[in-house]
Amino acid sequence: MATVSNVDTEPCAVCGKETTKICSKCKAVSYCGKECQKSDWESHEPNCELLLDCLPWCDVCTSRLIKKNVTGLCFRCGFIFCGPCLERETGKKDGLCPGCWRSTMKSTAPTEDNVLALKDLVEKETNLLDNRRLLWCFALGHVFADLVPKNIALAKHYFSLSGSLGHGEGYQKLGDIYMSEGEWHQAKEAFEKGAALQSVGAMHSLGTYYQDGSFGGTSDYRAAKRWFKEGARLGDNDCIHSLGSIYFFGQGTTVNHENAVAYFRRGADKGDADSQLVLGTCYAGGNGAVPSLEQARYCWGKAAAQGNEVAVTRLR
C-alpha cells in the first residue's frame, strides 16, 4: 500500500475530516491518516494506477498536479503550470510563457491563433503521454463551449477526446452538453464513463438525474442513492448533501432524520453552505437533532457568511 505524504489536500475521502495527507503513489486521493487509508485501500487500489497514469505535471517545476483540471495553460505551446509557478511566471517583468517565449502570461483569454495552435498540438503530437493531451483537449472543449457563437460540435469532440484519454471531467462536461440537448441516453453513458474514472461531478450528475426522473421519466431513488454514496465516499460536498436529502425525505428508503443530519453535519463541517443551512433548519425543528435555536443560528450564520440568501433571511 502506498504511504501518505504531507501536502495541501482536500478533506479525507473516507470520513471527510480536514487533512494534509494524500496517497503518495497517485497523489489524487486524500486521507486524514493511515486508519482511513487502510479502510479504503481495497476500493482505491484498482484505481490507483489509473489515477497515476492520468496525473499531469507542471512543465516549470515538474511537480505532479494533484488536480487534473488545468491550473494554467499556454494555448500557443501547450505548457502546463501549477498554481505557484503560474503566479511566479505571471509576475515576471517580461510576462512571457517560458515554453514558447511568445504568449503573454497575463492574457486572460486565448486568441484565435493560439487556439488553432493548440488544436494542431492535439492532432499532431499523438506520441505524447495521454495526461498531457487530455488537459489540452479539456481546455479546448471549454473554449468551444463558451465561444460566442459557440461551436458545440467541437466542444463535444474535445471533451470526448479528453475523456477517452482518462479525464473523467471531460465525460462529465460531455454529458452536460447532451442533457442540454435532451439526449439523456447519451448523457447517461457519458456520465457513467466519467464516474468510472472517479469524476465526482459525473457521480453527482448521475444521482441527480436518477433522483428527478430525467433518465427515462421515472425517478430511481435506489440508483440515485448509490451514486451519491459513491461520490460522498470520495468526499464530494454535493453528493454528501444530496445523500442527506435522500435520507431526510425517505426517497427509496425509510425516512431517517438522524442519518440525514449526520451527512448534513459532515457537509457543514467541510464548509458546504447548503448543508450548513439545512443543518440549522434541522436544529430549529428538532428533526434528527436535539432542538437548539442557538445551534440553528450558528449554522445559518456560517451559511450566511458564504452568501446564502436563505440563511440571511432566517437570521433576521
Side-chain angles (χ1 to χ4, degrees), residues 31-297:
Y31 299 103
C32 64
K34 290 185 177 180
E35 185 176 342
C36 279
Q37 187 188 25
K38 286 180 179 178
S39 68
D40 190 50
W41 182 243
E42 184 178 350
S43 173
H44 175 60
E45 184 179 17
N47 299 308
C48 193
E49 289 290 342
L50 172 65
L51 291 170
L52 178 62
D53 290 341
C54 294
L55 204 64
W57 63 86
C58 173
D59 283 313
V60 180
C61 68
T62 70
S63 63
R64 288 282 186 174
L65 300 179
I66 297 173
K67 289 292 190 181
K68 290 183 285 184
N69 289 334
V70 177
T71 303
L73 173 70
C74 174
F75 274 78
R76 180 178 291 277
C77 70
F79 239 53
I80 295 171
F81 303 88
C82 66
C85 287
L86 177 65
E87 184 177 355
R88 183 173 60 253
E89 294 296 332
T90 302
K92 287 184 177 179
K93 185 176 180 180
D94 56 24
L96 295 178
C97 169
C100 61
W101 299 104
R102 295 175 65 188
S103 296
T104 302
M105 293 293 296
K106 294 182 180 180
S107 176
T108 57
T111 65
E112 183 177 352
D113 287 345
N114 286 355
V115 170
L116 291 175
L118 190 58
K119 282 179 64 180
D120 286 341
L121 278 176
V122 169
E123 301 302 330
K124 293 178 180 178
E125 302 293 341
T126 56
N127 291 326
L128 288 177
L129 293 177
D130 287 349
N131 56 14
R132 316 285 299 154
R133 296 181 69 233
L134 69 84
L135 285 181
W136 296 344
C137 293
F138 190 69
L140 285 171
H142 271 290
V143 168
F144 289 116
D146 297 334
L147 280 176
V148 180
K150 298 180 180 182
N151 191 326
I152 297 302
L154 281 177
K156 285 180 181 177
H157 170 71
Y158 285 109
F159 281 140
S160 179
L161 187 53
S162 172
S164 70
L165 294 173
H167 196 38
E169 285 77 7
Y171 281 131
Q172 179 203 341
K173 294 297 183 182
L174 179 63
D176 289 340
I177 293 176
Y178 279 130
M179 285 302 295
S180 70
E181 296 175 335
E183 300 289 345
W184 70 266
H185 284 287
Q186 291 167 290
K188 179 171 171 287
E189 181 180 356
F191 291 139
E192 287 174 344
K193 288 180 179 179
L197 292 171
Q198 303 290 287
S199 166
V200 292
M203 293 173 188
H204 186 258
S205 293
L206 283 167
T208 298
Y209 291 131
Y210 273 121
Q211 185 179 34
D212 66 17
S214 294
F215 291 155
T218 303
S219 295
D220 185 342
Y221 295 125
R222 185 169 297 180
K225 179 183 175 184
R226 176 168 61 87
W227 284 114
F228 288 148
K229 205 164 190 176
E230 182 63 18
R233 186 187 68 80
L234 295 175
D236 180 63
N237 280 347
D238 290 333
C239 287
I240 291 169
H241 179 80
S242 296
L243 189 56
S245 297
I246 286 278
Y247 282 113
F248 191 88
F249 294 108
Q251 294 177 322
T253 187
T254 304
V255 171
N256 190 324
H257 289 167
E258 288 74 18
N259 272 1
V261 165
Y263 281 107
F264 292 146
R265 184 176 289 114
R266 179 180 168 189
D269 289 344
K270 292 177 62 181
D272 180 58
D274 289 334
S275 291
Q276 291 165 347
L277 169 68
V278 177
L279 182 60
T281 303
C282 289
Y283 275 120
N287 295 313
V290 177
S292 171
L293 186 56
E294 181 181 356
Q295 285 291 333
R297 293 185 64 82

